[in-house]
Amino acid sequence: DAVRVRLMSDVPLGVFLSGGLDSTAIVACMSRVAPGQVRTFSVAFDEPSFDESRHFRAVARHYATRHEERVLRPSDLLEILPTLAAVIDEPLGDASILPTYLLARFTREHVTVALGGEGGDELMAGYPTYQAHRLAAIYEKIPRPIRAGIIEPLVRRLPVSRENISFDFKARKFISGTGHPPEIRNQIWLGSFTGPEALHILKEDVRRSLAGIDLFEESVRHAREAPVSDVVGRMLYVDAKMYLQDNILVKVDRASMACSLEVRAPLLDHRFVDLIGRLPTSWKLRGMTTKHIFKRAMEPWLPPGIVNRPKKGFGIPVADWLRGPLRPMMLDLLSAGRLRRQGLLEPAAVESLISDHLAGRRDNRKPLWTLLMFQMWDSHWGKDSAREAIVA
């Protein structure tokens, strides 16, 4: 019914389709309400580890939708980056705003309203971080000398892969958050920097202005106020208050509104949110199975293979592109001379991130992309705005 009421429109309407559980479930509901009238829109990549075209094409065939898709290439990225810098009113380090914007732009060529799957992961424990919290509880029972002296050094020596959510990337992220309370490690896993790293990247005078500031205060407060006591349940609450509200929905809103496209989110229907919110956490994350109850409920409606597909995310090949087509832009916007004139970021720290990434010693895609998007935003909106944003 949440899908049905969002199909009311006086203008052409479609749906974003990734081929994952949430978007496919929405297509399944649309097909039951309006069989033969569903229009689906997707983005593909040339890089296999990021591309989901095999899955969304299978879904489009299964439901006989009117399907449109585009391939996102580095040239598209270079074309739309300046536009995005003007569109976002505040720095936003989520690289998936790029494919979201491209998807919204070409969807708007055909329809005026689109349905999206936002909210499903935060409502029903769809992210790997929820599984990781369960693993962390086990991992932290291993004696500290074994973790610090054997396991973590081995993880840091893993060969660097630039594929989407590769094993070495997940392993390094995992150990970076262990040893912290759940509400802090949750933010470390989601973010580009740990607390100390975020301060280390700033100039000394800016660091001094932030003395005494707790970068994790908001996350700690939401975790304390969560209406549940188990760790995963509290992190679902934190993510709904922070990641969903201040990242996911902001990203989709900025990208779609810049293209004059209205995006509706059936999974955030207040009745559905209320229903899911009353369910025990164990119905959402059953052992290590994410979205357990939703998968059980939707499996009879969906094509084979969709329910058990691993989580992929809407990422782009940032790691490779920073070593290729985006390299000149990165070296320009993050050059030592530019950073000294700006007076916000520490040139030596930024240069270390760049050189390690270009040499393949470390995968610094997330911190470098975050800094690149900050610099692009600053270039458009001006130095005073950037300094105010940092100090605030």
Side-chain angles (χ1 to χ4, degrees):
D1 191 60
V3 170
R4 182 187 59 79
V5 298
R6 282 161 182 79
L7 296 181
M8 298 177 184
S9 176
D10 296 326
V11 294
L13 181 146
V15 57
F16 293 158
L17 175 62
S18 69
L21 175 61
D22 295 337
S23 65
T24 304
I26 293 171
V27 171
C29 293
M30 292 175 71
S31 297
R32 290 191 169 210
V33 174
Q37 301 177 43
V38 180
R39 305 188 66 173
T40 52
F41 300 89
S42 306
V43 167
F45 295 94
D46 288 331
E47 291 81 355
S49 70
F50 290 84
D51 186 56
E52 296 186 276
S53 58
R54 175 169 61 91
H55 303 289
F56 61 64
R57 287 169 188 163
V59 172
R61 285 193 302 269
H62 182 85
Y63 295 105
T65 71
R66 295 170 59 190
H67 183 67
E68 305 279 350
E69 64 183 70
R70 294 279 173 87
V71 177
L72 178 59
R73 296 186 172 89
S75 57
D76 300 307
L77 178 68
L78 294 172
E79 173 200 342
I80 64 179
L81 268 176
T83 301
L84 286 176
V87 164
I88 55 176
D89 298 327
E90 57 187 325
L92 183 64
D94 188 340
S96 65
I97 192 174
L98 289 161
T100 302
Y101 176 82
L102 181 70
L103 176 60
R105 188 174 68 175
F106 98 81
T107 298
R108 182 61 183 84
E109 296 171 6
H110 304 274
V111 299
T112 310
V113 177
L115 272 58
E118 290 75 36
D121 292 316
E122 294 84 2
L123 285 176
M124 296 174 284
Y127 293 126
T129 48
Y130 303 122
Q131 299 166 316
H133 282 296
R134 293 233 164 123
L135 290 176
I138 300 170
Y139 177 76
E140 290 175 356
K141 293 178 180 177
I142 299 173
R144 178 62 186 159
I146 296 177
R147 286 185 279 138
I150 300 175
I151 299 175
E152 292 170 13
L154 286 175
V155 168
R156 295 188 185 98
R157 293 191 184 99
L158 288 171
V160 174
S161 168
R162 295 187 294 277
E163 292 188 351
N164 189 25
I165 318 180
S166 59
F167 173 76
D168 67 293
F169 177 83
K170 290 188 290 186
R172 289 187 178 92
K173 268 291 182 184
F174 179 78
I175 65 170
S176 73
T178 55
H180 296 280
E183 58 272 19
I184 293 179
R185 71 177 178 232
N186 194 67
Q187 301 311 107
I188 291 174
W189 286 341
L190 289 174
S192 299
F193 302 95
T194 65
E197 286 174 344
L199 296 176
H200 176 66
I201 210 75
L202 302 173
K203 294 281 286 185
E204 184 178 356
D205 65 321
V206 181
R207 290 201 301 271
R208 283 199 302 268
S209 72
L210 296 172
I213 296 295
D214 181 0
L215 299 180
F216 298 104
E217 183 276 332
E218 186 178 4
S219 178
V220 171
R221 174 167 50 84
H222 287 312
R224 186 172 59 247
E225 296 171 350
V228 291
S229 59
D230 63 281
V231 169
V232 173
R234 286 190 289 122
M235 294 309 101
L236 286 167
Y237 185 81
V238 170
D239 283 344
K241 288 288 189 178
M242 297 179 67
Y243 190 62
L244 175 63
Q245 173 181 286
D246 298 327
N247 183 349
I248 300 299
L249 295 181
V250 171
K251 170 192 70 179
V252 174
D253 176 73
R254 299 293 189 275
S256 59
M257 288 292 97
C259 305
S260 300
L261 179 75
E262 178 188 345
V263 177
R264 301 172 180 176
L267 292 170
L268 292 177
D269 181 286
H270 70 95
R271 298 164 299 165
F272 189 71
V273 171
D274 186 53
L275 168 66
I276 298 299
R278 294 198 305 268
L279 299 180
T281 304
S282 61
W283 289 23
K284 303 164 190 177
L285 183 65
R286 175 67 58 89
M288 297 300 283
T289 301
T290 58
K291 296 183 176 177
H292 170 74
I293 187 66
F294 194 50
K295 289 176 178 178
R296 288 286 303 275
M298 293 306 304
E299 188 169 18
W301 292 29
L302 304 184
I306 295 296
V307 162
N308 295 316
R309 270 197 64 201
K311 177 71 177 172
K312 199 175 187 69
F314 201 16
I316 62 173
V318 170
D320 275 334
W321 290 0
L322 286 173
R323 291 162 57 100
L326 281 180
R327 178 174 175 163
M329 179 185 291
M330 174 181 68
L331 295 178
D332 174 43
L333 290 175
L334 297 177
S335 66
R338 189 185 191 101
L339 297 183
R340 279 192 290 268
R341 290 192 302 273
Q342 185 188 47
L344 292 170
L345 302 174
E346 178 56 54
V350 176
E351 171 56 32
S352 177
L353 290 173
I354 294 173
S355 61
D356 282 349
H357 187 81
L358 294 181
R361 290 187 292 268
R362 295 190 64 183
D363 178 4
N364 288 328
R365 71 180 87 178
K366 282 180 70 68
L368 286 175
W369 178 263
T370 298
L371 295 175
L372 183 61
M373 289 303 292
F374 177 80
Q375 291 298 89
M376 292 199 67
W377 173 84
D378 181 37
S379 296
H380 184 85
W381 293 106
K383 179 178 178 180
D384 290 340
S385 297
R387 177 168 285 276
E388 289 171 7
I390 280 286
V391 175

